[in-house]
Amino acid sequence: PKLFEDRRFARPTSAEDFAKNLLQGRYTGEKSELAREFLRQRLKKKIQDQAQALKRTVTKQATGFEEPAEADMSLAAKFYDKCNGDLAKLAAKMGVGVAALQASPPEDSADFARKLFRGQYEVEA
């Protein structure tokens, strides 16, 4: 039986030895403790078996900036055009200091959208 696989319990050498150990209470352990121990053993075995079935994989690393969707770029470009490229108007509507836009002024609406999505025009907190 599994009880004797546990090193805390000695395997009886005879029927008389078994009876003696039984009456001395050697085979009565804390049931919940034994159950937890057997559960740990079963889980360990299952984890080891499952670990052998796992396959190595390569994790894809983010490359940093990813281009925004074309619709987002178009919307930002239209916003620039609506303000006629006026940096003061853009800054006021975006909630950034005009200095942020002047530090890296956009050449056109496409350049504005690109710089906006790359985070060059930080919103002031």
Side-chain angles (χ1 to χ4, degrees), residues 9-125:
F9 302 103
R11 181 175 284 282
T13 56
S14 66
E16 185 178 319
D17 188 36
F18 174 76
K20 183 178 165 186
N21 289 339
L22 181 64
L23 292 173
Q24 288 178 352
R26 289 194 180 171
Y27 304 128
T28 57
E30 174 65 39
K31 287 183 181 181
S32 61
E33 181 185 328
L34 288 174
R36 281 193 297 268
E37 182 62 31
F38 292 136
L39 176 63
R40 283 187 198 105
Q41 290 173 5
R42 284 194 314 269
L43 287 174
K44 183 178 179 182
K45 171 102 174 81
K46 287 183 180 184
I47 289 171
Q48 289 170 342
D49 292 345
Q50 191 64 36
Q52 293 174 358
L54 294 175
K55 296 178 183 176
R56 173 104 16 224
T57 185
V58 177
T59 303
K60 183 179 177 183
Q61 297 287 331
T63 58
F65 178 75
E66 294 184 27
E67 290 295 326
E70 187 61 40
D72 294 332
M73 293 290 284
S74 177
L75 189 61
K78 286 179 185 175
F79 174 69
Y80 177 87
D81 290 337
K82 188 173 181 180
C83 292
N84 296 318
D86 184 327
L87 298 184
K89 283 183 185 177
L90 287 165
K93 291 187 178 201
M94 291 172 54
V96 299
V98 73
L101 293 169
Q102 290 171 337
S104 182
E107 296 175 15
D108 56 20
S109 60
D111 188 45
F112 170 77
R114 212 174 7 265
K115 289 178 179 179
L116 176 67
F117 285 109
R118 288 193 175 151
Q120 286 184 257
Y121 307 132
E122 298 271 333
V123 176
E124 294 175 347

